[in-house]
PDB file of all heavy atoms in Angstrom:
ATOM      1  N   GLN A  13     -46.927 -67.976   6.341  1.00 53.00           N
ATOM      2  CA  GLN A  13     -46.646 -69.442   6.535  1.00 53.00           C
ATOM      3  C   GLN A  13     -47.958 -70.201   6.941  1.00 53.00           C
ATOM      4  O   GLN A  13     -48.670 -69.786   7.595  1.00 53.00           O
ATOM      5  CB  GLN A  13     -45.575 -69.606   7.676  1.00 53.00           C
ATOM      6  CG  GLN A  13     -44.346 -68.879   7.438  1.00 53.00           C
ATOM      7  CD  GLN A  13     -43.578 -69.514   6.326  1.00 53.00           C
ATOM      8  OE1 GLN A  13     -43.770 -70.636   5.946  1.00 53.00           O
ATOM      9  NE2 GLN A  13     -42.642 -68.629   5.685  1.00 53.00           N
ATOM     10  N   PRO A  14     -48.231 -71.292   6.235  1.00 49.00           N
ATOM     11  CA  PRO A  14     -49.446 -71.992   6.573  1.00 49.00           C
ATOM     12  C   PRO A  14     -49.390 -72.534   7.941  1.00 49.00           C
ATOM     13  O   PRO A  14     -48.386 -72.973   8.580  1.00 49.00           O
ATOM     14  CB  PRO A  14     -49.562 -73.214   5.567  1.00 49.00           C
ATOM     15  CG  PRO A  14     -48.085 -73.371   5.070  1.00 49.00           C
ATOM     16  CD  PRO A  14     -47.446 -71.982   5.257  1.00 49.00           C
ATOM     17  N   SER A  15     -50.524 -72.372   8.578  1.00 47.00           N
ATOM     18  CA  SER A  15     -50.668 -72.936  10.008  1.00 47.00           C
ATOM     19  C   SER A  15     -50.817 -74.489   9.897  1.00 47.00           C
ATOM     20  O   SER A  15     -51.119 -74.979   8.850  1.00 47.00           O
ATOM     21  CB  SER A  15     -51.810 -72.277  10.717  1.00 47.00           C
ATOM     22  OG  SER A  15     -53.096 -72.705  10.086  1.00 47.00           O
ATOM     23  N   PRO A  16     -50.691 -75.122  11.086  1.00 47.00           N
ATOM     24  CA  PRO A  16     -51.106 -76.536  11.009  1.00 47.00           C
ATOM     25  C   PRO A  16     -52.429 -76.878  10.529  1.00 47.00           C
ATOM     26  O   PRO A  16     -53.347 -76.051  10.541  1.00 47.00           O
ATOM     27  CB  PRO A  16     -50.894 -77.009  12.482  1.00 47.00           C
ATOM     28  CG  PRO A  16     -49.990 -75.965  12.977  1.00 47.00           C
ATOM     29  CD  PRO A  16     -50.336 -74.696  12.295  1.00 47.00           C
ATOM     30  N   SER A  17     -52.611 -78.028   9.816  1.00 46.00           N
ATOM     31  CA  SER A  17     -53.934 -78.445   9.195  1.00 46.00           C
ATOM     32  C   SER A  17     -54.945 -78.560  10.381  1.00 46.00           C
ATOM     33  O   SER A  17     -54.521 -78.662  11.549  1.00 46.00           O
ATOM     34  CB  SER A  17     -53.764 -79.598   8.462  1.00 46.00           C
ATOM     35  OG  SER A  17     -53.238 -80.666   9.218  1.00 46.00           O
ATOM     36  N   PRO A  18     -56.177 -78.580  10.106  1.00 45.00           N
ATOM     37  CA  PRO A  18     -57.190 -78.750  11.172  1.00 45.00           C
ATOM     38  C   PRO A  18     -56.926 -79.880  12.138  1.00 45.00           C
ATOM     39  O   PRO A  18     -56.469 -80.928  11.797  1.00 45.00           O
ATOM     40  CB  PRO A  18     -58.485 -79.052  10.320  1.00 45.00           C
ATOM     41  CG  PRO A  18     -58.366 -78.310   9.120  1.00 45.00           C
ATOM     42  CD  PRO A  18     -56.871 -78.495   8.827  1.00 45.00           C
ATOM     43  N   HIS A  19     -56.905 -79.520  13.467  1.00 44.00           N
ATOM     44  CA  HIS A  19     -56.265 -80.358  14.402  1.00 44.00           C
ATOM     45  C   HIS A  19     -57.090 -81.597  14.720  1.00 44.00           C
ATOM     46  O   HIS A  19     -58.263 -81.614  14.756  1.00 44.00           O
ATOM     47  CB  HIS A  19     -56.051 -79.567  15.708  1.00 44.00           C
ATOM     48  CG  HIS A  19     -57.327 -79.093  16.413  1.00 44.00           C
ATOM     49  ND1 HIS A  19     -58.005 -79.824  17.351  1.00 44.00           N
ATOM     50  CD2 HIS A  19     -58.046 -77.985  16.164  1.00 44.00           C
ATOM     51  CE1 HIS A  19     -59.039 -79.174  17.781  1.00 44.00           C
ATOM     52  NE2 HIS A  19     -59.160 -78.029  17.009  1.00 44.00           N
ATOM     53  N   PRO A  20     -56.525 -82.735  14.904  1.00 44.00           N
ATOM     54  CA  PRO A  20     -57.212 -83.920  15.232  1.00 44.00           C
ATOM     55  C   PRO A  20     -57.789 -83.802  16.757  1.00 44.00           C
ATOM     56  O   PRO A  20     -57.220 -82.934  17.496  1.00 44.00           O
ATOM     57  CB  PRO A  20     -56.378 -85.048  15.021  1.00 44.00           C
ATOM     58  CG  PRO A  20     -54.942 -84.376  15.249  1.00 44.00           C
ATOM     59  CD  PRO A  20     -55.084 -83.070  14.761  1.00 44.00           C
ATOM     60  N   ASP A  21     -58.510 -84.658  17.228  1.00 49.00           N
ATOM     61  CA  ASP A  21     -59.046 -84.773  18.604  1.00 49.00           C
ATOM     62  C   ASP A  21     -57.926 -84.755  19.566  1.00 49.00           C
ATOM     63  O   ASP A  21     -57.987 -84.337  20.787  1.00 49.00           O
ATOM     64  CB  ASP A  21     -59.985 -85.877  18.770  1.00 49.00           C
ATOM     65  CG  ASP A  21     -61.381 -85.470  18.008  1.00 49.00           C
ATOM     66  OD1 ASP A  21     -61.576 -84.403  17.694  1.00 49.00           O
ATOM     67  OD2 ASP A  21     -62.073 -86.539  17.755  1.00 49.00           O
ATOM     68  N   SER A  22     -56.848 -85.426  19.206  1.00 52.00           N
ATOM     69  CA  SER A  22     -55.669 -85.836  20.138  1.00 52.00           C
ATOM     70  C   SER A  22     -54.800 -84.586  20.274  1.00 52.00           C
ATOM     71  O   SER A  22     -54.051 -84.488  21.216  1.00 52.00           O
ATOM     72  CB  SER A  22     -54.841 -86.903  19.576  1.00 52.00           C
ATOM     73  OG  SER A  22     -54.309 -86.553  18.334  1.00 52.00           O
ATOM     74  N   LEU A  23     -54.940 -83.489  19.407  1.00 72.00           N
ATOM     75  CA  LEU A  23     -54.130 -82.273  19.515  1.00 72.00           C
ATOM     76  C   LEU A  23     -54.621 -81.454  20.691  1.00 72.00           C
ATOM     77  O   LEU A  23     -55.735 -81.293  21.011  1.00 72.00           O
ATOM     78  CB  LEU A  23     -54.168 -81.440  18.285  1.00 72.00           C
ATOM     79  CG  LEU A  23     -53.019 -80.505  17.908  1.00 72.00           C
ATOM     80  CD1 LEU A  23     -51.659 -81.205  17.921  1.00 72.00           C
ATOM     81  CD2 LEU A  23     -53.380 -79.819  16.750  1.00 72.00           C
ATOM     82  N   SER A  24     -53.594 -80.901  21.422  1.00 89.00           N
ATOM     83  CA  SER A  24     -53.894 -79.997  22.493  1.00 89.00           C
ATOM     84  C   SER A  24     -54.688 -78.840  22.137  1.00 89.00           C
ATOM     85  O   SER A  24     -54.528 -78.296  21.036  1.00 89.00           O
ATOM     86  CB  SER A  24     -52.609 -79.561  23.287  1.00 89.00           C
ATOM     87  OG  SER A  24     -51.840 -80.677  23.695  1.00 89.00           O
ATOM     88  N   PRO A  25     -55.611 -78.271  22.983  1.00 93.00           N
ATOM     89  CA  PRO A  25     -56.385 -77.033  22.592  1.00 93.00           C
ATOM     90  C   PRO A  25     -55.373 -75.948  22.353  1.00 93.00           C
ATOM     91  O   PRO A  25     -54.251 -75.775  22.848  1.00 93.00           O
ATOM     92  CB  PRO A  25     -57.172 -76.735  23.790  1.00 93.00           C
ATOM     93  CG  PRO A  25     -57.302 -78.021  24.538  1.00 93.00           C
ATOM     94  CD  PRO A  25     -55.921 -78.750  24.280  1.00 93.00           C
ATOM     95  N   LEU A  26     -55.814 -74.961  21.442  1.00 96.00           N
ATOM     96  CA  LEU A  26     -54.910 -73.801  21.051  1.00 96.00           C
ATOM     97  C   LEU A  26     -55.140 -72.831  22.323  1.00 96.00           C
ATOM     98  O   LEU A  26     -56.227 -72.376  22.754  1.00 96.00           O
ATOM     99  CB  LEU A  26     -55.619 -73.138  19.879  1.00 96.00           C
ATOM    100  CG  LEU A  26     -54.743 -72.073  19.139  1.00 96.00           C
ATOM    101  CD1 LEU A  26     -53.439 -72.710  18.535  1.00 96.00           C
ATOM    102  CD2 LEU A  26     -55.497 -71.213  18.158  1.00 96.00           C
ATOM    103  N   ARG A  27     -53.977 -72.575  22.857  1.00 97.00           N
ATOM    104  CA  ARG A  27     -53.887 -71.564  24.134  1.00 97.00           C
ATOM    105  C   ARG A  27     -54.031 -70.077  23.530  1.00 97.00           C
ATOM    106  O   ARG A  27     -53.055 -69.731  22.843  1.00 97.00           O
ATOM    107  CB  ARG A  27     -52.683 -71.928  24.827  1.00 97.00           C
ATOM    108  CG  ARG A  27     -52.519 -73.290  25.440  1.00 97.00           C
ATOM    109  CD  ARG A  27     -51.236 -73.522  26.074  1.00 97.00           C
ATOM    110  NE  ARG A  27     -50.272 -73.284  25.000  1.00 97.00           N
ATOM    111  CZ  ARG A  27     -48.885 -73.105  25.374  1.00 97.00           C
ATOM    112  NH1 ARG A  27     -48.528 -73.003  26.642  1.00 97.00           N
ATOM    113  NH2 ARG A  27     -48.009 -73.013  24.378  1.00 97.00           N
ATOM    114  N   VAL A  28     -54.932 -69.374  24.077  1.00 97.00           N
ATOM    115  CA  VAL A  28     -55.143 -67.953  23.591  1.00 97.00           C
ATOM    116  C   VAL A  28     -55.015 -67.127  24.805  1.00 97.00           C
ATOM    117  O   VAL A  28     -55.600 -67.282  25.778  1.00 97.00           O
ATOM    118  CB  VAL A  28     -56.538 -67.805  22.966  1.00 97.00           C
ATOM    119  CG1 VAL A  28     -56.723 -66.300  22.491  1.00 97.00           C
ATOM    120  CG2 VAL A  28     -56.603 -68.697  21.739  1.00 97.00           C
ATOM    121  N   MET A  29     -54.148 -66.008  24.740  1.00 97.00           N
ATOM    122  CA  MET A  29     -53.962 -65.032  25.704  1.00 97.00           C
ATOM    123  C   MET A  29     -54.586 -63.744  25.299  1.00 97.00           C
ATOM    124  O   MET A  29     -54.382 -63.315  24.127  1.00 97.00           O
ATOM    125  CB  MET A  29     -52.475 -64.805  26.019  1.00 97.00           C
ATOM    126  CG  MET A  29     -52.060 -63.887  27.214  1.00 97.00           C
ATOM    127  SD  MET A  29     -52.103 -64.784  28.671  1.00 97.00           S
ATOM    128  CE  MET A  29     -51.486 -63.518  29.813  1.00 97.00           C
ATOM    129  N   ILE A  30     -55.327 -63.094  26.126  1.00 97.00           N
ATOM    130  CA  ILE A  30     -55.998 -61.855  25.799  1.00 97.00           C
ATOM    131  C   ILE A  30     -55.256 -60.674  26.314  1.00 97.00           C
ATOM    132  O   ILE A  30     -54.946 -60.672  27.474  1.00 97.00           O
ATOM    133  CB  ILE A  30     -57.463 -61.832  26.334  1.00 97.00           C
ATOM    134  CG1 ILE A  30     -58.375 -62.955  25.758  1.00 97.00           C
ATOM    135  CG2 ILE A  30     -58.099 -60.302  26.208  1.00 97.00           C
ATOM    136  CD1 ILE A  30     -59.702 -62.937  26.322  1.00 97.00           C
ATOM    137  N   LEU A  31     -54.865 -59.750  25.486  1.00 97.00           N
ATOM    138  CA  LEU A  31     -54.022 -58.588  25.782  1.00 97.00           C
ATOM    139  C   LEU A  31     -54.880 -57.276  25.321  1.00 97.00           C
ATOM    140  O   LEU A  31     -55.711 -57.484  24.391  1.00 97.00           O
ATOM    141  CB  LEU A  31     -52.645 -58.596  25.114  1.00 97.00           C
ATOM    142  CG  LEU A  31     -51.750 -59.900  25.163  1.00 97.00           C
ATOM    143  CD1 LEU A  31     -50.598 -59.701  24.444  1.00 97.00           C
ATOM    144  CD2 LEU A  31     -51.302 -60.097  26.722  1.00 97.00           C
ATOM    145  N   GLY A  32     -54.509 -56.191  25.793  1.00 95.00           N
ATOM    146  CA  GLY A  32     -55.202 -55.025  25.408  1.00 95.00           C
ATOM    147  C   GLY A  32     -54.865 -53.722  26.192  1.00 95.00           C
ATOM    148  O   GLY A  32     -54.072 -53.833  27.228  1.00 95.00           O
ATOM    149  N   ASN A  33     -55.344 -52.600  25.785  1.00 88.00           N
ATOM    150  CA  ASN A  33     -55.158 -51.342  26.456  1.00 88.00           C
ATOM    151  C   ASN A  33     -56.131 -51.289  27.662  1.00 88.00           C
ATOM    152  O   ASN A  33     -57.268 -50.852  27.449  1.00 88.00           O
ATOM    153  CB  ASN A  33     -55.446 -50.239  25.390  1.00 88.00           C
ATOM    154  CG  ASN A  33     -55.090 -48.879  26.095  1.00 88.00           C
ATOM    155  OD1 ASN A  33     -54.748 -48.738  27.183  1.00 88.00           O
ATOM    156  ND2 ASN A  33     -55.247 -47.763  25.304  1.00 88.00           N
ATOM    157  N   GLY A  34     -55.615 -51.522  28.925  1.00 89.00           N
ATOM    158  CA  GLY A  34     -56.581 -51.531  29.987  1.00 89.00           C
ATOM    159  C   GLY A  34     -57.061 -50.195  30.397  1.00 89.00           C
ATOM    160  O   GLY A  34     -57.769 -50.017  31.411  1.00 89.00           O
TER     161      GLY A  34
END
Side-chain angles (χ1 to χ4, degrees):
Q13 302 294 337
S15 66
S17 56
H19 63 94
D21 294 338
S22 60
L23 198 61
S24 299
L26 192 73
R27 298 170 301 162
V28 180
M29 186 86 172
I30 296 179
L31 308 174
N33 181 1

